[in-house]
Amino acid sequence: MKPAQPPRSSADILATAPAAVWRDVDPDNLLVMTLPQGQVFIELAPRFAPAHVDNIRALARGGYYDGLAIVRVQDNFVTQWGDPNADDEDTGLKGKGKPFPAGAKSHLPAEFSIPLKGVPMTVLPDVEGWAPRAGQVDGFPAAADPKTGEAWLAHCYGAVGAGRGNAKDSSTGAELYAVIGHAPRGLDLNITVVGRVLKGMEFLSSLPRGGAAMGFYDKPEQRLGVERVSLASALPAEQRPALQVLRTDTPTWNELLNARRNRGGWFVHSAGYTDLCSAAVPVRIKPVPAPDVKLSEPKSPEAKR
Amino acid sequence: MKPAQPPRSSADILATAPAAVWRDVDPDNLLVMTLPQGQVFIELAPRFAPAHVDNIRALARGGYYDGLAIVRVQDNFVTQWGDPNADDEDTGLKGKGKPFPAGAKSHLPAEFSIPLKGVPMTVLPDVEGWAPRAGQVDGFPAAADPKTGEAWLAHCYGAVGAGRGNAKDSSTGAELYAVIGHAPRGLDLNITVVGRVLKGMEFLSSLPRGGAAMGFYDKPEQRLGVERVSLASALPAEQRPALQVLRTDTPTWNELLNARRNRGGWFVHSAGYTDLCSAAVPVRIKPVPAPDVKLSEPKSPEAKR
């Protein structure tokens, strides 16, 4: 009998995967946020939050986010950015905010879930407690409940959501947050998730934590500037980031997932399991074929683990 | 009929809890790490890793950690500190490391799990996929498997473990790491967990990420100094931090846990669930009773959420 094939590492699996397992990120769904410390690339999820994604596109096209600020960094929770002078029901601040550009709406429906029917989810083999079903949709971590017929995006590390006040439908996409700690899945179905960070998380996760309640910065001068937020489709072609996300309807994803569930090498014990948020879909910069058709090595956050 | 009592917030529950629900942290189990940016307080877990805890005490008493460095910060994973010149099987570096002080051992057994029998676990009502049983032991997040008869500490946010090489028993406690991202539970049962950060996580989680493979810093000058690591019991009485951890065998913990599982207020949906790592046991600075016996408000990471 031949011995069973030893499991390959994630890096090996990705390095030998054919080009067809990667999907180009639509530049109309890709937000490029420029901070003094670096660029953050966010893929928007129009399937789950069509009204918010439309509004974020209109806000970005109109230059709304340019010159705003990171106002809150709460350890093991979120980094949040927006207009520090926007209307705020807690502080009573009103009428001092930056006006919305033409085409952007000041009221949107809550988009906490969508009908499960027809959603192309790559279902995870493992069950977790947060939802009856979990898996990947368009590369985003998602969950579903066949009983209620709903599907929704999950608050995993890097998830980007639209801050809201006490009313369910009080988010507009003008104020956004990214998850920088252990997945706060209790937020699922409570707020509109609009996408996830594909690249540049370290520029949001390594910021000084805010000293006021909920991680807001105590003083205005502690806030960090947001220089510019653009849709990739609005950038000149040569400035557009060529990001790719692994397709999950591929043998490559299945092999990666099993390599994560059944660890080899340094590991002496394998859980034979993964939770949803420990199984992020890999991202890479699209390799440029050299004249001799030698592809450069894929770069991915997964490959480093 | 009287209406059901609305659930109280975590802050309210903690503010009104009697003093007896809090346990003083034993100064012989409390490591105080002084970094240029602030102090990190780590509670050691002698029940789970007696040999490592003994060795860490000997290393701290002998001044071993003083002047070492933070060598690795990998986004969504760990911050790691130790002697950059220690023997390393990957680089082949040997014999350049700082010698261990008297009383510290250079070889320890692996302490990945302990017998479950007799372990006083406050079992969580919810089931998760990583282990058949999960809960709190001495305030630490832990898991267990009644079939194998083992219990072990879980890699939740803030867990502190002893780095090892390829051999199971190659950790000594000289190199330590703290979890700074989504709980990497796949590490459970693969490495010795020695405790958890009670206070000061933000000084480990907000550091610049390392640019080399696995988040190591590329250049020696990027490393961040560790000024001093002391056992609280070795500090003069007036410098000893008076930290307290909530006891989990109390109605206060049950009420807190249920407030976390069943959210009110801003939340419109409640999962009726929590995973182990989303239910950290609160920590506070012991209040000093004023002459009029008015207690100062408890400070806790949970109270802010």
Side-chain angles (χ1 to χ4, degrees):
Chain A
M1 251 175 70
K2 280 208 299 189
Q5 193 97 1
R8 300 197 294 163
S9 74
S10 299
D12 286 347
I13 296 165
L14 287 173
T16 56
V21 303
W22 296 96
R23 148 179 85 78
D24 293 334
V25 176
D26 182 342
D28 229 28
N29 289 338
L30 186 60
L31 219 48
V32 181
M33 176 158 67
T34 304
L35 304 173
Q37 55 272 30
Q39 285 189 314
V40 181
F41 301 90
I42 297 166
E43 185 173 16
L44 301 170
R47 184 193 299 275
F48 286 89
H52 281 76
V53 168
D54 264 353
N55 221 42
I56 290 168
R57 287 186 187 125
L59 290 165
R61 285 200 192 97
Y64 173 78
Y65 300 104
D66 305 353
L68 298 188
I70 291 170
V71 293
R72 173 189 188 190
V73 184
Q74 184 171 358
D75 196 58
N76 194 22
F77 195 40
V78 296
T79 288
Q80 191 166 324
W81 57 97
D83 179 359
N85 300 316
D87 293 357
D88 189 308
E89 62 197 32
D90 291 329
T91 62
L93 194 69
K94 217 167 160 65
K96 305 269 186 196
K98 187 170 175 174
F100 279 15
K105 293 174 181 160
S106 58
H107 183 261
L108 300 178
E111 297 180 299
F112 299 171
S113 68
I114 58 172
L116 171 58
K117 204 179 164 186
V119 171
M121 182 182 285
T122 306
V123 178
L124 279 179
D126 302 310
V127 172
E128 46 168 40
W130 286 106
R133 190 182 290 174
Q136 312 291 342
V137 178
D138 307 331
F140 297 100
D145 186 344
K147 276 199 194 131
T148 63
E150 290 172 296
W152 60 92
L153 290 180
H155 278 84
C156 292
Y157 191 83
V160 175
R164 70 162 170 93
N166 282 318
K168 277 180 72 166
D169 57 354
S170 55
S171 62
T172 61
E175 185 154 18
L176 297 169
Y177 64 87
V179 171
I180 61 162
H182 184 71
R185 299 285 303 279
L187 290 178
D188 290 5
L189 291 169
N190 280 293
I191 194 161
T192 301
V193 178
V194 301
R196 71 163 178 143
V197 175
L198 297 185
K199 194 173 171 337
M201 260 312 289
E202 65 273 25
F203 303 123
L204 296 173
S205 59
S206 66
L207 301 174
R209 276 46 180 161
M214 296 169 68
F216 282 90
Y217 286 122
D218 297 284
K219 296 171 192 128
E221 62 269 26
Q222 294 173 323
R223 293 177 194 141
L224 298 147
V226 172
E227 292 180 359
R228 203 169 50 252
V229 177
S230 311
L231 267 183
S233 55
L235 294 172
E238 71 278 9
Q239 287 180 32
R240 283 187 204 169
L243 291 178
Q244 295 187 309
V245 173
L246 191 77
R247 293 179 194 273
T248 56
D249 57 349
T250 57
T252 302
W253 171 251
N254 287 339
E255 192 180 351
L256 269 179
L257 194 60
N258 281 320
R260 180 146 282 265
R261 297 171 72 242
N262 306 297
R263 312 298 292 254
W266 177 91
F267 288 80
V268 295
H269 169 86
S270 189
Y273 176 84
T274 183
D275 64 316
L276 175 64
C277 294
S278 294
V281 176
V283 176
R284 70 170 186 179
I285 295 165
K286 187 176 183 168
V288 181
D292 61 346
V293 205
K294 203 171 95 186
L295 293 180
S296 63
E297 205 176 326
K299 296 274 189 300
S300 145
E302 289 301 297
K304 281 196 196 166
R305 289 197 200 144
Chain B
M1 249 176 71
K2 279 208 300 187
Q5 194 96 358
R8 298 197 296 163
S9 74
S10 298
D12 285 347
I13 295 165
L14 287 173
T16 56
V21 302
W22 296 95
R23 147 179 86 77
D24 291 335
V25 176
D26 182 343
D28 229 28
N29 289 339
L30 186 60
L31 219 47
V32 181
M33 175 160 66
T34 305
L35 304 173
Q37 55 273 30
Q39 283 188 314
V40 181
F41 302 89
I42 297 166
E43 183 173 18
L44 300 169
R47 184 194 298 275
F48 286 89
H52 281 75
V53 167
D54 263 353
N55 222 41
I56 290 167
R57 288 187 187 123
L59 290 165
R61 284 201 193 98
Y64 173 78
Y65 300 104
D66 304 352
L68 299 187
I70 291 171
V71 294
R72 174 188 188 193
V73 185
Q74 183 170 359
D75 195 59
N76 193 22
F77 195 39
V78 296
T79 289
Q80 192 166 323
W81 58 97
D83 179 359
N85 301 318
D87 293 356
D88 188 309
E89 62 197 30
D90 292 328
T91 62
L93 193 70
K94 218 168 159 60
K96 306 269 186 195
K98 186 172 177 175
F100 278 15
K105 295 175 180 160
S106 57
H107 183 260
L108 301 178
E111 297 179 299
F112 300 171
S113 68
I114 58 173
L116 171 58
K117 202 178 166 190
V119 171
M121 182 181 286
T122 307
V123 178
L124 279 179
D126 302 310
V127 174
E128 47 168 40
W130 286 106
R133 190 182 291 174
Q136 313 291 341
V137 179
D138 306 330
F140 298 99
D145 186 345
K147 277 199 194 132
T148 64
E150 292 173 294
W152 60 91
L153 289 180
H155 279 84
C156 293
Y157 191 85
V160 175
R164 70 162 170 94
N166 283 318
K168 277 180 71 167
D169 57 354
S170 55
S171 61
T172 61
E175 186 155 17
L176 297 170
Y177 64 87
V179 171
I180 61 162
H182 185 70
R185 299 284 304 278
L187 292 177
D188 290 5
L189 291 170
N190 280 292
I191 195 160
T192 301
V193 179
V194 301
R196 71 162 178 143
V197 176
L198 296 186
K199 193 171 170 339
M201 261 311 290
E202 65 274 23
F203 302 123
L204 296 173
S205 60
S206 66
L207 301 174
R209 277 47 179 159
M214 296 171 66
F216 282 91
Y217 285 122
D218 296 283
K219 296 171 191 129
E221 62 268 26
Q222 294 173 324
R223 293 176 194 141
L224 298 148
V226 172
E227 292 180 359
R228 202 170 51 251
V229 176
S230 312
L231 268 182
S233 55
L235 294 174
E238 71 279 9
Q239 286 178 34
R240 283 189 203 167
L243 290 178
Q244 295 187 309
V245 173
L246 191 77
R247 293 180 194 272
T248 56
D249 58 350
T250 57
T252 302
W253 170 251
N254 287 339
E255 190 180 352
L256 269 179
L257 195 60
N258 280 320
R260 180 145 282 262
R261 297 171 72 243
N262 306 297
R263 311 300 291 255
W266 177 90
F267 288 79
V268 296
H269 169 86
S270 189
Y273 176 84
T274 184
D275 64 317
L276 175 64
C277 295
S278 295
V281 176
V283 176
R284 71 169 185 179
I285 296 165
K286 187 176 184 170
V288 180
D292 60 346
V293 205
K294 204 172 94 186
L295 294 180
S296 63
E297 205 174 328
K299 295 273 188 299
S300 148
E302 290 300 298
K304 282 198 195 165
R305 288 196 199 144

